[in-house]
Amino acid sequence: MIIEDRPREYLERRVRAGLLEQNTVDLLRQLDVGERLDREGLVHDGIYLRREGRTQHIEIAKLTGRHVTIYGQQEVVKDLIAARLQRGGELHFEVSDVSVHDVESERPRISYSAGGSEHELECDFIAGCDGFHGICRPSIPSNLRTEYEYTYPFGWLGILAEAAPATDELIYAWHEHGFALYTMRSSKISRLYLQVPVDEELERWSDERIWAELQVRLASEGWRVNEGPILEKGITPMRTFVCEPMRHGRLFLAGDAAHIVPPTGAKGLNLAVNDVRLLAAAFAAWYRNGSAAGLDRYSDTALRRVWRAQDFSNYMTQLLHDLGGGAYESRLQLARLEYLSLSEAAATSLAENYAGLPARDDF
Ligand SMILES: Cc1cc2nc3c(=O)[nH]c(=O)nc-3n(C[C@H](O)[C@H](O)[C@H](O)COP(=O)(O)OP(=O)(O)OC[C@H]3O[C@@H](n4cnc5c(N)ncnc54)[C@H](O)[C@@H]3O)c2cc1C
């Protein structure tokens, strides 16, 4: 049974991640929820890295045999909600006052309010998939969890614009003013980001200023960013966080409830999907043959990919952003970017991390 504190319409409209790793696409297909994704998703063979007007294509498909697919997180959520309801699963929206109890016992409970009355649910297990600000992680006693955390001194100003993308694949741009990213949601909608100071005020960025800065940071000779009406804009802080372990008794954390990464590596949504892939298999084994082995391994196994993604997301962030280290640091970044264009081994390392290492039972 799933309980969710937001309305369905809100979840189906909330624009967040948009890049699916090969593993995520494969899993959605296996679950028979990949039909619209196959029809509407944009399959990409690589990404572009741009610096000082020069563009390099990292050929992910050629180097790894794997692809990435552009398909909005809200579309994945729509497909999963529809499938869950169609298959007769229980899914309750707009619940409130959620709390978990007795997670160290064999009968953990969830209490919540819905439709004006109080409810209590007795469970075999609780999957805490309630995001970074949810209640599950804080319900683990603080002396039993270790938290690793780092906040970058910058954020991303992101826009969603009604403008056909002027690029067929994502462009990650290094620029002395700071990082910029050109991505898209469809053949008609662009999503673009600018690195801004962590305490930046959105009011300081008129639509004109945003487009002008995007044209500067993404510049390449004879090419321009396509402009259009801005549908949404906002500033997201850049943070990294891991909570260990991801299990306490019969409570299992998954996704942002346990870890977040800076979005530069496009890993947040994909990591959440990987956690539930491992957790679902462990639950299935427990119900099928009473084996607790998968549940006992869950935290260690999930954390292996979490830390791989932490490392890669931080590598991409440090490669491309102005980290405040001055001219010496910029020269190092340019040398690293050049290395990616000189060495197939370096490009392959980036490509296999970006596409996501193949899913395994132990990773
Ligand atoms: C603005 C923004 C942009 C992002 N862009 C990217 C990107 O480009 N690429 C990328 O990979 N990742 C991106 N992410 C991260 C990505 O969206 C998350 O990693 C992903 O949503 C994690 O999924 P989740 O299910 O763990 O958590 P969530 O998607 O946060 O889902 C948790 C759910 O739990 C519900 N909930 C919370 N508390 C309770 C409660 N007490 N009771 C019941 N329900 C509760 C919430 O309403 C929510 O629906 C972005 C995130 C944000 C905020």
Side-chain angles (χ1 to χ4, degrees):
M1 176 166 158
I2 299 174
I3 55 168
E4 160 63 54
D5 64 358
R6 299 284 193 156
R8 178 176 181 178
E9 304 69 47
Y10 173 85
L11 302 170
E12 294 187 340
R13 272 205 317 269
R14 182 168 54 178
V15 176
R16 295 166 82 187
L19 187 136
L20 308 186
E21 287 180 355
Q22 182 80 56
N23 291 339
T24 301
V25 171
D26 292 346
L27 187 67
L28 293 171
R29 284 183 186 144
Q30 268 172 35
L31 297 173
D32 253 340
V33 284
E35 194 219 330
R36 200 162 64 91
L37 159 69
D38 282 333
R39 219 174 39 240
E40 297 176 14
L42 307 173
V43 178
H44 286 184
D45 290 341
I47 54 169
Y48 297 105
L49 298 180
R50 184 167 287 174
R51 65 188 190 285
E52 300 179 311
R54 280 181 293 161
T55 306
Q56 181 196 354
H57 191 227
I58 301 285
E59 299 186 305
I60 293 174
K62 198 172 138 210
L63 295 169
T64 67
R66 297 164 73 71
H67 293 87
V68 291
T69 302
I70 300 294
Y71 189 67
Q73 179 169 339
Q74 74 280 15
E75 305 303 328
V76 175
V77 168
K78 250 184 239 170
D79 295 345
L80 290 174
I81 291 174
R84 175 91 190 161
L85 294 175
Q86 198 210 346
R87 294 171 195 182
E90 262 190 88
L91 178 40
H92 301 275
F93 299 101
E94 297 180 69
V95 306
S96 57
D97 306 322
V98 180
S99 55
V100 297
H101 315 273
D102 300 338
V103 297
E104 286 154 12
S105 77
E106 294 207 338
R107 299 312 282 168
R109 289 173 297 117
I110 304 177
S111 57
Y112 62 97
S113 313
S117 54
E118 308 291 310
H119 299 258
E120 193 170 83
L121 189 63
E122 208 179 82
C123 317
D124 292 329
F125 303 103
I126 300 173
C129 309
D130 53 350
F132 186 64
H133 302 287
I135 53 98
C136 286
R137 187 182 66 253
S139 72
I140 301 177
S142 57
N143 61 325
L144 296 181
R145 59 187 146 97
T146 305
E147 296 185 347
Y148 303 87
E149 192 165 13
Y150 179 73
T151 304
Y152 286 92
F154 46 79
W156 278 13
L157 190 165
I159 61 162
L160 191 71
E162 202 178 320
T167 175
D168 56 343
E169 293 182 340
L170 274 64
I171 304 173
Y172 285 80
W174 179 97
H175 192 277
E176 56 200 14
H177 292 187
F179 171 68
L181 173 62
Y182 200 154
T183 163
M184 64 291 291
R185 285 296 181 263
S186 70
S187 57
K188 297 193 183 85
I189 303 286
S190 298
R191 181 114 169 107
L192 298 109
Y193 298 94
L194 290 166
Q195 176 187 352
V196 293
V198 70
D199 52 358
E200 187 63 305
E201 285 163 23
L202 194 57
E203 298 70 52
R204 295 187 60 232
W205 289 84
S206 64
D207 292 3
E208 295 68 34
R209 182 177 174 207
I210 292 173
W211 287 119
E213 191 60 19
L214 285 165
Q215 297 292 2
V216 169
R217 295 195 198 178
L218 286 158
S220 170
E221 206 179 323
W223 176 93
R224 279 179 68 77
V225 174
N226 281 344
E227 300 181 14
I230 294 183
L231 308 172
E232 258 187 62
K233 62 177 158 179
I235 294 180
T236 312
M238 297 279 282
R239 228 185 346 219
T240 183
F241 176 89
V242 182
C243 167
E244 291 185 345
M246 288 170 61
R247 171 190 189 171
H248 177 57
R250 291 204 165 209
L251 170 67
F252 295 82
L253 301 180
D256 279 19
H259 44 74
I260 50 175
V261 280
T264 331
K267 291 288 174 237
L269 167 63
N270 295 296
L271 274 185
V273 169
N274 190 62
D275 289 348
V276 292
R277 173 182 69 86
L278 296 168
L279 191 53
F283 284 147
W286 192 85
Y287 283 108
R288 204 173 285 132
N289 53 32
S291 166
L295 295 171
D296 291 342
R297 272 197 312 265
Y298 168 71
S299 177
D300 288 346
T301 307
L303 282 165
R304 291 177 70 196
R305 188 176 289 265
V306 167
W307 280 106
R308 175 91 304 283
Q310 285 285 336
D311 178 44
F312 178 66
S313 303
N314 283 288
Y315 159 79
M316 287 289 281
T317 304
Q318 290 178 10
L319 178 69
L320 294 159
H321 289 74
D322 179 357
L323 304 169
Y328 179 74
E329 191 169 73
S330 298
R331 293 294 295 124
L332 284 184
Q333 288 174 321
L334 291 171
R336 282 182 204 136
L337 284 162
E338 186 175 44
Y339 179 46
L340 287 165
S341 67
L342 293 171
S343 158
E344 189 170 302
T348 305
S349 171
L350 190 154
E352 71 176 0
N353 277 285
Y354 195 88
L357 290 155
R360 303 187 340 193
D361 291 347
D362 62 348
F363 183 73

